[in-house]
Amino acid sequence: MKDGIINWNVDPEIFILFDTFPVRYYSLSWVIGCALCYLIVKKVYQKEKIPLENLEQLTMYILIGGLLGARLGHCFFYEPQYYFQNPLEILLPIQKVGETFQFTGFQGLASHGGLTGIVIAIILYVRKSNTNILWIMDRVALGCGAMAASIRIGNFMNSEVYGKPTNGNWGVVFERDDLIPRHPTQLYEAGAYLLIFVVLMFIYKSKKIERRNGLMVGIFFILMFTARFMIEFVKENQVGFEDSMSINMGQILSIPLILLGFAIIYYGKKPLTYKT
């Protein structure tokens, strides 16, 4: 370390399983994040005396929807041309190298797509279970901040999704890519998401705040994607076509979700009940 500069050169692979399947910090961060989200929401269900069988079913919907949405979001928002030419790689953890395919794991997951997938999964769940959609989304939002923070730490371990160069006197040098001190935007986002988690937990536990349907998930959308929008200004563009844009794809996708947060708060005026 020199001055305020941290040199970062961690191998993203922890080990290789059966000499074939690489186990990465990023994959581990997803597992930890999902587990944290589940445990947080489980505590809420127990506190409010909602049967945990309901949460088990909801969890399956969210896991499938979140992973599918994150994967499809990356493929269609950031690299549509490549994946239209290589459709097998969209949902299979492989990559074509010459005339053969190699196992790579999923190289690319988009948070906007993941969140969209979670929302769709919750919509499908409430149609089957006859529960209040905003009640469910409020509780799920409580755990999503911790999950998002864990995933961004995984990006840091992977030396990816980093920021633009700093003034050279401080920052992180991601030696696997270059020797330029950069903004560690993964850690900026992780810190912001943890703060959002604390804010939502305070609102949930406060007896002085009227918690209407949609208040917590609305605040979650507003805070999370405002933070994302602002941090994108110091983040490197993920794909080449963003270089010609005044704001990048991450910022464009954040705007409707911020507006959705305000809309949910405005329209969520019914009493808080689990059932519709």
Side-chain angles (χ1 to χ4, degrees), residues 94-120:
I94 58 175
Q95 188 174 56
K96 190 173 183 181
V97 180
E99 299 299 321
T100 63
F101 288 93
Q102 293 182 0
F103 178 88
T104 60
F106 288 122
Q107 301 294 305
L109 298 169
S111 56
H112 295 90
L115 184 61
T116 302
I118 289 173
V119 171
I120 293 172

Side-chain angles (χ1 to χ4, degrees), residues 69 81 177 214 246 257:
Q81 184 175 1
D177 282 0
S246 55
L257 294 173

Side-chain angles (χ1 to χ4, degrees), residues 46-254:
Q46 290 173 328
K47 178 181 178 181
E48 303 192 23
K49 296 180 171 56
I50 305 298
L52 290 182
E53 297 79 34
N54 299 18
L55 178 59
E56 304 296 337
Q57 188 178 37
L58 173 63
T59 299
M60 290 306 300
Y61 275 80
I62 289 176
L63 283 176
I64 295 171
L67 286 172
L68 279 176
R71 182 59 179 164
L72 293 175
H74 173 81
C75 295
F76 297 143
F77 294 153
Y78 292 99
E79 298 184 88
Q81 184 175 1
Y82 175 83
Y83 284 103
F84 282 140
Q85 295 174 352
N86 301 275
L88 283 178
E89 296 182 28
I90 294 177
L91 295 179
L92 295 178
I94 58 175
Q95 188 174 56
K96 190 173 183 181
V97 180
E99 299 299 321
T100 63
F101 288 93
Q102 293 182 0
F103 178 88
T104 60
F106 288 122
Q107 301 294 305
L109 298 169
S111 56
H112 295 90
L115 184 61
T116 302
I118 289 173
V119 171
I120 293 172
I122 293 175
I123 291 172
L124 294 175
Y125 170 79
V126 299
R127 290 183 61 184
K128 181 179 179 180
S129 63
N130 191 36
T131 52
N132 188 308
I133 184 170
L134 291 182
W135 189 98
I136 294 289
M137 292 178 70
D138 276 339
R139 272 69 189 166
V140 172
L142 286 172
C144 282
M147 180 175 70
S150 178
I151 292 170
R152 279 296 180 245
I153 291 172
N155 290 133
F156 182 76
M157 300 300 292
N158 253 11
S159 296
E160 63 186 2
V161 198
Y162 47 63
K164 296 177 180 178
T166 67
N167 61 15
N169 296 322
W170 65 280
V172 176
V173 175
F174 295 96
E175 295 182 5
R176 291 183 167 271
D177 282 0
D178 56 39
L179 299 178
I180 302 173
R182 297 179 176 276
H183 288 280
T185 47
Q186 317 96 319
L187 300 184
Y188 297 171
E189 288 190 59
Y193 300 156
L194 283 176
L195 181 59
I196 292 168
F197 165 71
V198 171
V199 169
L200 292 180
M201 288 301 297
F202 172 79
I203 293 172
Y204 176 72
K205 293 182 178 181
S206 175
K207 296 181 180 180
K208 297 181 180 180
I209 299 175
E210 179 189 0
R211 288 189 289 106
R212 301 182 309 183
N213 275 342
L215 176 64
M216 289 183 291
V217 70
I219 291 173
F220 172 78
F221 277 120
I222 294 167
L223 294 182
M224 180 171 187
F225 290 102
T226 297
R228 175 71 185 268
F229 187 92
M230 299 305 296
I231 293 171
E232 289 290 329
F233 282 114
V234 294
K235 185 189 292 185
E236 286 284 10
N237 292 329
Q238 295 188 49
V239 287
F241 70 79
E242 293 179 296
D243 294 339
S244 61
M245 301 165 62
S246 55
I247 58 175
N248 64 26
M249 182 60 72
Q251 292 171 310
I252 290 172
L253 295 173
S254 294

